[in-house]
Amino acid sequence: MTNKMWGGRFSTGPSEIMEEINASIDFDKRLYAQDIAASKAHCAMLAETGIIGAQDAKTLAQGLDVILTEIEGGTFTFSRALEDIHMNVEARLEELVGPVAGKLHTARSRNDQVATDFKLYVRDAIDALDEHLCALQQALAHKAEEHAATVMPGYTHLQSAQPITFGHHCLAYVEMFQRDRGRFADARTRLNESPLGAGALAGTSFPIDRKQTAKALGFDRPAANSLDAVSDRDFALETLAAASIAAIHLSRLAEEIVLWCSAEFGFVALGDGFTTGSSMMPQKRNPDAAELIRAKAGRILAALQGLLVVMKGLPLAYSKDMQEDKEATFGALDALALMISAMTGMIASAEINEKSMRKSAGAGHSTATDLADWLVQSAGLTFRDAHHVTGRIVAAADEANLPLWRMPLETLQSLEKRITADVFDVLSVAKSVKSRTSLGGTAPKNVRKNARSWIKRLERDSRSG
Ligand code: ARG
């Protein structure tokens, strides 16, 4: 049997293998709601412009509503022979309302149709991701407020560098996720032009009203060039690029959680709800969710790479290659939503071991910079000289196997005679973090203030979202 949608010039139907490689319904059925919404907007416009009759439009719209109910109720039968969501819907419409169904595709092609559906889908996904990210930021900001003064080691090269507060560390991620939200919002702004009415590639001779359909579907305006409208997949690429960066942020935090949960660090205990056991070793509490977040970043990066490669050699306008845009994008956006939710759960449930953070915060002569700064501010050395003297004091402390604040004053004075007992004021971890009051610094009072302002701002975002 030839294809009933486009088989006019064919004498036989496609081979089984052709059908298998050609059909996208197994994955693009996810576009059903967008497809039906776009068809209803198109149909209303066709009636408004007098291209089809008002009664026909009403019949078509009612049929489309029935199809929506059938799909949502699980009673719709998808057919691979009908290739994709667009033709599955149209074929069912004909069963429901008869030959008038054939009018729906007037002044429209599957090329502008699929671009429209996919844009609407990606737009919805961006909106959902924004809400997820906002919830994650809220969990982090609350932890930050709670732990504004909880000291922990700050690292460079994963070597203990300077003490910081755990709250400050949490707020670093709040900033990162805010930039991710900004990238998604930018992508959404550029995405929001309607391809509908571009036809197959060249526009149409029917007197359509593209502004009307754009408005009905919540687009800011119709896309200006019909060739571009049907062949643009920037919106998916940009969204996947934003998703990739967000996934990297999540993966970095996940990696830190894995480290922090180890006995060697012992900084964090995840709640039972976000921990798994071992089938063999009864003592184990594994941070599987963090590991999976770290790993799932891979598929998001792969989806971006995959779509870039699909698009790179395509002449204008539509090529069937572009059907390969959806599956990996759906998968990547699903994965990202899940990763964010799992991270939010982990953060909210995490118990912070302040004692072991404090212990590590003082290890590795982490206040050596404070000593050097004191030598500059209170003893009048240049920073270079102070750095050198501090290096010698650190070496002596290592030799004596003592932390800096336990070094006898005489020993310090034998290395630099201008040192006085006041130096001990800056050598403790708590004093060190307290002194970092510069803008963006880790001082508890900064952290508390920033955490509170984030909490307020995020509450506003989540209310308006
Ligand atoms: N299923 C197709 C896709 O996802 C719809 C567009 C098909 N257009 C065409 N000219 N064959 O890209």
Side-chain angles (χ1 to χ4, degrees), residues 287-359:
D288 288 30
E291 295 164 87
L292 289 165
I293 289 170
R294 197 171 57 183
K296 279 180 193 293
R299 43 171 103 199
I300 297 175
L301 274 55
L304 171 61
Q305 195 66 21
L307 185 54
L308 285 166
V309 174
V310 166
M311 297 305 295
K312 82 169 271 295
L314 297 187
L316 299 185
Y318 178 86
S319 294
K320 193 63 172 254
D321 308 51
M322 289 160 73
Q323 179 165 286
E324 290 287 306
D325 57 1
K326 287 176 271 306
E327 215 174 352
T329 304
F330 293 157
L333 298 177
D334 286 349
L336 186 61
L338 183 58
M339 287 157 72
I340 301 169
S341 301
M343 184 58 87
T344 307
M346 269 196 298
I347 296 293
S349 81
E351 277 193 31
I352 308 308
N353 187 336
E354 297 182 21
K355 217 170 123 201
S356 84
M357 279 189 175
R358 197 178 318 119
K359 195 159 162 242

Side-chain angles (χ1 to χ4, degrees), residues 123-387:
R123 195 176 71 185
D124 288 347
I126 288 176
D127 292 343
L129 285 170
D130 186 69
E131 280 180 34
H132 284 306
L133 283 168
C134 182
L136 172 55
Q137 287 178 300
Q138 285 179 305
L140 285 162
H142 283 291
K143 276 276 179 263
E145 188 186 26
E146 191 185 331
H147 292 283
T150 303
V151 291
M152 72 179 281
Y155 300 95
T156 61
H157 314 267
L158 198 59
Q159 306 284 317
S160 178
Q162 292 177 345
I164 56 169
T165 70
F166 181 64
H168 197 51
H169 202 113
C170 291
L171 290 184
Y173 281 98
V174 172
E175 298 285 342
M176 290 148 89
F177 293 126
Q178 186 66 18
R179 291 196 296 276
D180 290 328
R181 292 176 65 195
R183 272 181 281 272
F184 281 121
D186 279 354
R188 192 192 196 284
T189 305
R190 269 183 295 278
L191 164 152
N192 213 24
E193 294 186 342
S194 172
L196 198 58
L201 76 164
T204 174
S205 59
F206 289 97
I208 58 171
D209 182 350
R210 290 191 60 207
K211 287 192 181 144
Q212 183 187 326
T213 47
K215 186 154 177 255
L217 295 169
F219 288 110
D220 295 331
R221 66 192 78 84
N225 181 299
S226 62
L227 285 175
D228 178 44
V230 294
S231 67
D232 160 36
R233 291 295 179 273
D234 295 7
F235 64 89
L237 289 171
E238 254 192 287
T239 303
L240 289 174
S244 294
I245 299 175
I248 295 293
H249 290 157
L250 289 161
S251 182
R252 292 180 76 176
L253 179 52
E255 166 67 6
E256 297 199 296
I257 290 173
V258 170
L259 290 172
W260 293 341
C261 287
S262 68
E264 287 74 7
F265 277 79
F267 290 175
V268 165
L270 297 176
D272 283 357
F274 284 90
T275 313
T276 50
S278 154
S279 57
M280 184 184 178
M281 300 165 283
Q283 84 285 11
K284 291 291 287 274
R285 288 179 63 82
N286 294 328
D288 288 30
E291 295 164 87
L292 289 165
I293 289 170
R294 197 171 57 183
K296 279 180 193 293
R299 43 171 103 199
I300 297 175
L301 274 55
L304 171 61
Q305 195 66 21
L307 185 54
L308 285 166
V309 174
V310 166
M311 297 305 295
K312 82 169 271 295
L314 297 187
L316 299 185
Y318 178 86
S319 294
K320 193 63 172 254
D321 308 51
M322 289 160 73
Q323 179 165 286
E324 290 287 306
D325 57 1
K326 287 176 271 306
E327 215 174 352
T329 304
F330 293 157
L333 298 177
D334 286 349
L336 186 61
L338 183 58
M339 287 157 72
I340 301 169
S341 301
M343 184 58 87
T344 307
M346 269 196 298
I347 296 293
S349 81
E351 277 193 31
I352 308 308
N353 187 336
E354 297 182 21
K355 217 170 123 201
S356 84
M357 279 189 175
R358 197 178 318 119
K359 195 159 162 242
S360 299
H365 308 307
S366 64
T367 55
T369 314
D370 299 85
L371 172 54
D373 289 349
W374 184 89
L375 289 169
V376 173
Q377 287 167 344
S378 304
L381 279 69
T382 66
F383 184 75
R384 263 306 137 232
D385 289 342
H387 188 284

Side-chain angles (χ1 to χ4, degrees), residues 4-5 59-60 63-64 67 76 82 86-104:
K4 69 177 184 182
M5 298 292 160
T59 308
L60 293 172
L64 288 165
I67 294 172
F76 189 95
L82 290 163
H86 325 296
M87 297 205 292
N88 270 270
V89 169
E90 194 182 320
R92 177 67 184 140
L93 191 60
E94 196 189 356
E95 284 172 12
L96 288 170
V97 305
V100 64
K103 296 193 177 185
L104 179 63

